[in-house]
Structures are given as structure tokens and as C-alpha cells.
């Protein structure tokens, strides 16, 4: 009976086995160190054990029992170039990771994770849909990566989980913050008594060469001084940057 991860389609797992080991011990037989981690296998992994996916940690199921939900799935993305890395909002997130997609009516919830399953971002996007979230994969990729000038494609294997392939990761030096709900530039109002020299009180955030700045909506002039790195991290984590 074959096992499979129902979330990402992986076929390697972490489970328990009983083995005999050679130890280094003290004069009373107390453990000091492991000399040989597996002299022999006394009991191989039991089918009734908990089998956890070595990639995403989800508990495995029998392959025959896999029911694929086209409105809730995970994309495994990978950049096969060992000398490059993926940039998200100016942050190096490595060569591999995961995108969890979940649809609720006309809202798509998207979570981005790195290869160690640490969450990088979480956002919800509104989109009128007549089909399943599976049909909206190009929209999801565009929201996360495509707007950064990255050409990406998603290819489906026979078990219907997706692998994101990036033939050419490109970086930009300039980004603008967009609101996740309506995909318009995210605008803010200056505090009372403050305004741009042009008279406008509305501004938005831009990133130039890794530095977050506030710019006037009317004349695009820089307002105030660049933010501290801690403040940049907070601003950068909100909205969609493109």
C-alpha cells in the first residue's frame, strides 16, 4: 500500500522504526554517544504509525484514498538555478518554497512559505470566479510574482499538485504598494496640519533600491525622510508590491 502527502504530493516521509545501535557508555552503562546509529533493523516502520511528509509535515494517506480539492491545494515552487534566488518584496527567500491556495466564494486566500515551511506572507484577494481556484493559478502567480517581472509557469503532475518553474528570475529596483482588496495603489492621508508642498494630503509608499519612501499622490514628490529598517519591514509586509 503506497503512501502520499495529500497536500503537496510528496512521496518521502518521516516515521518511527526500531533499530539496534552501538553506544559509547560509562562504567555503569549510561549513554555517552552513538557510535553506530543502525547496527540492524529490529522492526521496520509500521503501517499504523504516523507518517509525516518530509517536505510540508502533513500526515500521509493511502494513495488510493487521495481526493483532490481544486479549491484548496499547495503549489511547490522551485528555482533550479543553484546560483540564483527568489526575491519577494526585496527579501531573499531562497530557491524553493510553497504557496497554499484556499478559495472561499469569491475570495482567494494565499500563503507563501519558504523551504523550511516558515510563513513569508499571507494575503486575501477578491476575484469573481465561475470555476475553481485551480483555474485561477495564473492570477495567483501574477499576484505573488508576475508583477515583479518574473516569468513563471505552473505544471501539473499526474497527482494534481503543482510545481512552479521559474525559467528566468528577474529583479526590479522600483516597486509601489497596492491594496490587496481592490488592486489599486494603497493611499494614505497625512496627519492634520501636514501636506505636500503642492497642497495634496494623500501619499503612498514606494520602494527604490530596497529603501521604502513616502511619495505624494499628486506630484510624486518624496515626502519626509526614508524610514528605518524596522519600519520598512512592517510596511513591506503589507499589501502587494509591484
Amino acid at each position: 500500500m503506497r503512501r502520499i502527502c495529500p497536500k503537496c504530493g510528496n512521496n518521502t516521509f518521516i516515521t518511527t522504526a526500531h533499530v539496534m545501535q552501538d553506544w559509547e557508555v560509562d562504567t555503569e552503562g549510561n549513554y555517552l554517544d552513538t557510535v553506530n546509529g543502525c547496527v540492524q533493523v529490529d522492526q521496520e516502520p509500521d503501517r499504523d504509525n504516523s507518517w509525516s511528509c518530509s517536505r510540508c509535515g502533513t500526515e500521509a494517506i493511502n494513495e488510493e484514498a487521495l481526493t483532490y480539492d481544486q479549491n484548496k491545494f499547495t503549489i511547490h515552487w522551485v528555482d533550479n538555478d543553484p546560483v540564483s534566488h527568489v526575491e519577494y518584496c526585496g527579501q531573499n527567500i531562497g530557491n524553493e518554497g510553497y504557496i497554499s491556495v484556499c478559495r472561499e466564494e469569491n475570495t482567494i486566500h494565499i500563503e507563501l512559505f519558504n523551504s523550511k515551511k516558515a510563513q513569508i506572507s499571507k494575503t486575501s484577494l477578491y476575484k469573481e470566479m465561475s470555476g475553481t481556484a485551480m483555474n485561477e493559478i495564473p492570477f495567483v502567480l501574477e499576484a505573488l510574482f508576475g508583477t515583479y517581472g518574473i516569468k513563471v509557469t505552473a505544471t501539473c503532475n499526474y497527482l494534481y499538485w503543482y510545481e512552479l518553474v521559474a525559467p528566468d528570475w528577474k529583479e526590479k529596483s522600483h516597486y509601489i504598494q497596492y491594496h490587496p482588496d481592490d488592486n489599486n495603489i494603497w493611499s494614505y492621508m497625512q496627519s492634520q496640519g501636514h501636506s505636500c508642498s503642492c497642497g495634496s494630503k494623500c501619499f503612498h509608499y514606494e520602494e527604490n533600491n530596497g529603501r521604502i519612501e513616502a511619495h505624494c499622490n499628486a506630484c510624486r514628490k518624496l515626502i519626509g525622510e526614508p524610514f528605518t529598517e524596522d519600519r520598512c519591514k512592517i510596511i513591506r509586509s503589507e499589501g502587494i508590491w509591484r
Side-chain angles (χ1 to χ4, degrees):
M1 195 163 17
R2 292 169 54 88
R3 298 295 178 92
I4 187 172
C5 173
K7 185 174 183 180
C8 72
N10 189 30
N11 58 4
T12 59
F13 309 95
I14 299 173
T15 189
T16 301
H18 297 276
V19 299
M20 182 183 293
Q21 298 179 331
D22 283 338
W23 287 0
E24 179 184 355
V25 298
D26 62 16
T27 56
E28 296 182 351
N30 296 312
Y31 173 84
L32 296 176
D33 194 12
T34 301
V35 178
N36 187 336
C38 183
V39 177
Q40 68 180 44
V41 177
D42 292 333
Q43 182 178 331
E44 295 185 346
D46 194 295
R47 290 289 180 180
D48 294 329
N49 287 357
S50 174
W51 294 42
S52 300
C53 174
S54 61
R55 179 188 286 157
C56 70
T58 302
E59 186 163 350
I61 64 172
N62 295 333
E63 189 172 296
E64 296 83 358
L66 177 65
T67 301
Y68 193 69
D69 187 347
Q70 295 196 4
N71 283 310
K72 187 176 182 180
F73 53 89
T74 296
I75 298 172
H76 170 225
W77 60 261
V78 59
D79 179 7
N80 293 315
D81 186 346
V83 299
S84 68
H85 63 266
V86 179
E87 292 276 343
Y88 178 79
C89 294
Q91 177 185 358
N92 177 357
I93 57 176
N95 301 79
E96 183 181 12
Y98 309 92
I99 305 168
S100 289
V101 180
C102 178
R103 174 194 174 186
E104 291 183 349
E105 296 183 348
N106 287 327
T107 300
I108 300 179
H109 304 289
I110 306 169
E111 293 181 80
L112 178 63
F113 301 86
N114 64 17
S115 60
K116 296 181 179 179
K117 301 181 281 292
Q119 187 182 85
I120 298 168
S121 70
K122 181 178 182 179
T123 187
S124 297
L125 302 174
Y126 176 84
K127 190 176 191 301
E128 294 185 1
M129 293 172 280
S130 57
T132 66
M134 187 70 64
N135 299 327
E136 303 300 332
I137 285 181
F139 170 74
V140 171
L141 302 185
E142 176 73 12
L144 287 176
F145 300 114
T147 53
Y148 281 73
I150 300 172
K151 182 180 179 181
V152 292
T153 57
T155 56
C156 175
N157 72 4
Y158 78 105
L159 291 169
Y160 304 104
W161 65 278
Y162 281 73
E163 182 172 7
L164 183 65
V165 181
D168 183 21
W169 296 103
K170 300 176 182 178
E171 298 180 31
K172 286 169 45 177
S173 59
H174 176 255
Y175 304 97
I176 298 177
Q177 184 191 44
Y178 286 77
H179 200 284
D181 292 339
D182 55 19
N183 223 21
N184 292 322
I185 292 178
W186 199 335
S187 296
Y188 301 83
M189 185 74 71
Q190 293 195 64
S191 59
Q192 188 173 2
H194 294 81
S195 63
C196 178
S197 58
C198 73
S200 174
K201 296 179 67 67
C202 296
F203 69 96
H204 62 275
Y205 292 125
E206 299 185 11
E207 181 174 345
N208 291 294
N209 296 314
R211 184 177 61 184
I212 301 292
E213 303 168 339
H215 286 259
C216 173
N217 280 11
C219 67
R220 302 294 294 273
K221 181 180 177 181
L222 176 66
I223 300 174
E225 298 296 325
F227 298 99
T228 64
E229 184 58 34
D230 288 342
R231 180 59 180 156
C232 285
K233 290 180 180 179
I234 295 173
I235 298 173
R236 192 179 286 122
S237 68
E238 300 173 335
I240 298 173
W241 293 79
R242 65 172 187 248

